[in-house]
Amino acid sequence: MKHLEILNPPQFSEEIYKVEEEEFITAEIENEIKRKLVNNDVFLKHLIETLEEKWMKAGMLTEALEHTSINEAFTFEDLISKKEIIFFTNWSDFTNFPKLYGSGIFLPGFDTRCNSIIYTTSPTPHQKDFRHVYVGYIFVAEEEGDNQGLTTGVEWKQLMTHDEVSNSNLLINPDFKICQRNMEEYITNKTDNGGRYYPDRWICRRDYNDAGLQYKIEEDGLHAKFMTTTGSWGSILYRMDLESAKVLSGKTITISGKIKTSSSNIRGINLYQGSTYIVNGAPKKIGEDFYTVTAKMPEITDNLVLEIRFDGTENGESIFEYLKLELGSIATPFVPPDRATELLKCKRYYQRIGVPEGDYNAIIHHITSYTSASTKQYITFYVDMEQEMRVAPTVKLYGTPNKDTGYSIANVDGNSPDNSMQWSYSTNSNGNKMFRIMVYNESTDKRFDQTIFTTKHLVFYTNSGVELDAEIH
């Protein structure tokens, strides 16, 4: 824009104004202003009228903006061939702009072949992302001139804006991709008091422990489908231990998530410690499937529980694509976590060490030590955990004992269980880095033959192993 510098308030002298660039106020305009000067008001009124006329031609005022949209009557080629500043809006051109629905400024360059556009997108109900800012670098080739092999066109570069910076997600397994429990699905039933963990770190349940709410992990998220009409709602819960939660004391936090629903409805996002609610109620809904709520946290003195509660009719379904808990008052974009890193985080709370169905002889542990007693002997296997756990876990063997369809003491080659004795098993943790399995001989003759220590192994054949549970229950 041309620059006008007012030196002093007008004093009706020849030094009233100074023009730094020619053609902005020409000699004719200058003489006309001098002729019409009667008082300061006349001068200012005439000056404003003069500038308005210039700005209008540059497309910088409201009246001009109404006629500068990129449409059939005003093409992109028209825009980039301009030699002056142009403000414009774009509602229909999806060929030349990086995204639909936005506004911009065309900036001519000193070299008439090289110009720029600053372009901002405008969020709409159909655009769930935040505003983006782009710079377009334009080259307009001349018919006669040294174009250095360049052709007419625009190169768009996206600027770093607030929506490109994603705050850390304080939830583990936020997109429900990890499930170490070897379950294809989980259907609620009355025997699971309060539901159960299905995706790692997430408890799936239904009100009154009623049966018939099917949870299933699919590629697009966690599906929750009501198979019967009994009961009124379902929910997924995330429990955060005090050690992780206390850093939120006094902070502003935002919970957000992408949840698609058919005949189901999101009843509320709840956050509480103990029996005290911090957040209790309906979240703000943006568009069709994005929900968010912001809250100021009190002093945290207990475990936190995040609950997403939903309801629906028979066959009504909710699909949880992701959830996010972050510091700050804005829901920043969700970034899918690295699967390997997220698995290690999950293993602090739960580990399943064993072999899946169909595998054979996949894990063999050598005998580590034994205890000799006059009445009973046992073998002890010490096993390192795959990942240090948050606390000493509960240790359980799963699978059928003393069978080649489960686990057993077997010969070195592992081909068949050793049925020469009646084996029984017990487990416990040895801190949060190691666990142990003790194998007893329950036969009438409870003493071992010494050769067992060089010829026997503990073998997990198929669909068996060890479960380590340090979840928050």
Side-chain angles (χ1 to χ4, degrees):
M1 193 176 82
K2 304 292 172 58
H3 178 66
L4 174 67
E5 179 182 351
I6 303 296
L7 296 178
N8 291 297
Q11 300 297 322
F12 308 104
S13 70
E14 294 183 356
E15 298 297 322
I16 289 177
Y17 50 80
K18 176 185 176 183
V19 178
E20 292 190 346
E21 300 214 23
E22 61 182 359
E23 296 183 0
F24 189 72
I25 298 181
T26 63
E28 290 79 8
I29 295 175
E30 179 180 349
N31 292 332
E32 181 67 15
I33 292 174
K34 289 181 178 180
R35 284 196 300 271
K36 292 185 177 182
L37 282 178
V38 176
N39 53 43
N40 289 5
D41 291 339
V42 173
F43 169 78
L44 293 174
K45 181 175 182 296
H46 192 81
L47 182 61
I48 290 171
E49 290 174 351
T50 304
L51 295 179
E52 281 185 348
E53 181 181 358
K54 290 289 183 180
W55 288 341
M56 192 73 72
K57 289 181 180 179
M60 295 175 64
L61 298 181
T62 302
E63 183 177 339
L65 287 176
E66 293 176 356
H67 305 288
T68 53
S69 294
I70 305 300
N71 50 42
E72 293 181 359
F74 188 81
T75 67
F76 186 75
E77 287 71 23
D78 293 334
L79 176 69
I80 64 176
S81 63
K82 291 290 185 180
K83 305 300 182 186
E84 56 189 349
I85 296 173
I86 300 292
F87 282 52
F88 65 89
T89 56
N90 160 47
W91 300 107
S92 59
D93 188 337
F94 55 85
T95 301
N96 297 292
F97 288 89
K99 287 194 176 184
L100 280 178
Y101 311 119
S103 301
I105 308 172
F106 173 81
L107 301 171
F110 181 78
D111 183 339
T112 57
R113 298 172 303 173
C114 301
N115 307 304
S116 302
I117 292 177
I118 299 175
Y119 181 70
T120 64
T121 61
S122 302
T124 72
H126 302 290
Q127 282 184 304
K128 309 301 189 299
D129 55 349
F130 296 86
R131 175 164 300 214
H132 295 270
V133 181
Y134 298 86
V135 173
Y137 299 100
I138 305 165
F139 183 82
V140 181
E142 295 178 346
E143 292 184 6
E144 296 181 3
D146 183 11
N147 296 317
Q148 299 179 340
L150 299 175
T151 58
T152 297
V154 57
E155 178 185 0
W156 292 101
K157 298 290 186 182
Q158 184 174 353
L159 299 182
M160 180 67 73
T161 57
H162 74 274
D163 60 308
E164 296 301 308
V165 180
S166 178
N167 291 334
S168 297
N169 194 343
L170 303 180
L171 302 177
I172 299 173
N173 197 22
D175 53 358
F176 315 102
K177 298 296 185 184
I178 297 172
C179 184
Q180 299 181 74
R181 287 164 173 80
N182 195 30
M183 298 167 58
E184 290 188 1
E185 63 180 27
Y186 168 61
I187 299 177
T188 56
N189 60 80
K190 290 184 178 295
T191 61
D192 290 332
N193 186 20
R196 64 169 298 174
Y197 283 97
Y198 171 40
D200 278 45
R201 303 294 299 115
W202 294 95
I203 295 175
C204 298
R205 64 174 187 160
R206 189 171 183 178
D207 60 328
Y208 316 119
N209 302 318
D210 282 328
L213 177 51
Q214 178 195 51
Y215 290 91
K216 190 169 186 178
I217 300 170
E218 302 281 7
E219 187 61 32
D220 59 346
L222 176 63
H223 289 234
K225 182 177 181 179
F226 288 88
M227 303 171 67
T228 66
T229 57
T230 305
S232 60
W233 53 264
S235 69
I236 59 174
L237 280 76
Y238 183 97
R239 300 185 185 276
M240 182 180 292
D241 59 290
L242 178 60
E243 179 184 359
S244 302
K246 62 185 178 182
V247 299
L248 303 179
S249 293
K251 304 291 181 59
T252 297
I253 60 100
T254 295
I255 304 165
S256 61
K258 188 172 183 181
I259 310 169
K260 299 178 182 179
T261 61
S262 56
S263 60
S264 300
N265 294 303
I266 302 304
R267 180 181 289 193
I269 293 180
N270 304 323
L271 182 68
Y272 53 91
Q273 60 169 330
S275 59
T276 303
Y277 279 89
I278 301 169
V279 176
N280 182 15
K284 180 179 179 182
K285 186 177 182 181
I286 302 175
E288 296 180 357
D289 52 17
F290 186 78
Y291 298 82
T292 180
V293 63
T294 297
K296 181 66 178 292
M297 300 294 287
E299 187 70 20
I300 304 301
T301 57
D302 199 353
N303 296 342
L304 287 181
V305 178
L306 169 63
E307 179 188 33
I308 314 298
R309 186 173 292 192
F310 56 95
D311 56 21
T313 60
E314 186 173 356
N315 293 320
E317 187 174 50
S318 295
I319 303 174
F320 298 86
E321 183 174 327
Y322 65 80
L323 288 164
K324 186 171 185 178
L325 171 64
E326 61 188 299
L327 294 175
S329 58
I330 297 175
T332 61
F334 174 76
V335 177
D338 174 72
R339 189 75 62 88
T341 302
E342 213 64 14
L343 177 59
L344 290 177
K345 293 179 183 179
C346 291
K347 284 181 180 292
R348 290 193 66 246
Y349 295 82
Y350 181 87
Q351 293 179 36
R352 195 174 178 89
I353 304 173
V355 294
E357 185 175 1
D359 285 356
Y360 176 76
N361 206 15
I363 296 181
I364 300 177
H365 291 299
H366 291 275
I367 292 170
T368 305
S369 65
Y370 78 99
T371 298
S372 177
S374 58
T375 57
K376 196 171 186 179
Q377 292 178 307
Y378 59 90
I379 310 167
T380 304
F381 299 86
Y382 289 94
V383 186
D384 291 328
M385 297 175 187
E386 294 181 353
Q387 168 78 8
E388 180 178 337
M389 306 192 77
R390 70 178 189 94
V391 294
T394 299
V395 185
K396 294 192 300 184
L397 290 167
Y398 66 91
T400 305
N402 303 319
K403 299 285 186 179
D404 59 8
T405 54
Y407 58 90
S408 177
I409 294 294
N411 293 324
V412 172
D413 58 17
N415 285 332
S416 59
D418 178 1
N419 294 318
S420 63
M421 301 179 187
Q422 297 176 15
W423 304 109
S424 64
Y425 307 83
S426 68
T427 58
N428 59 43
S429 60
N430 188 28
N432 61 349
K433 297 181 180 180
M434 180 181 294
F435 65 92
R436 56 193 171 196
I437 303 171
M438 288 157 287
V439 185
Y440 301 89
N441 173 23
E442 301 292 351
S443 305
T444 303
D445 180 6
K446 300 181 183 298
R447 297 189 62 81
F448 292 140
D449 187 319
Q450 295 296 316
T451 59
I452 193 173
F453 302 110
T454 57
T455 61
K456 306 297 181 184
H457 291 290
L458 174 58
V459 179
F460 294 94
Y461 291 95
T462 181
N463 198 26
S464 62
V466 185
E467 183 182 63
L468 310 174
D469 191 349
E471 286 282 12
I472 306 170
H473 293 278

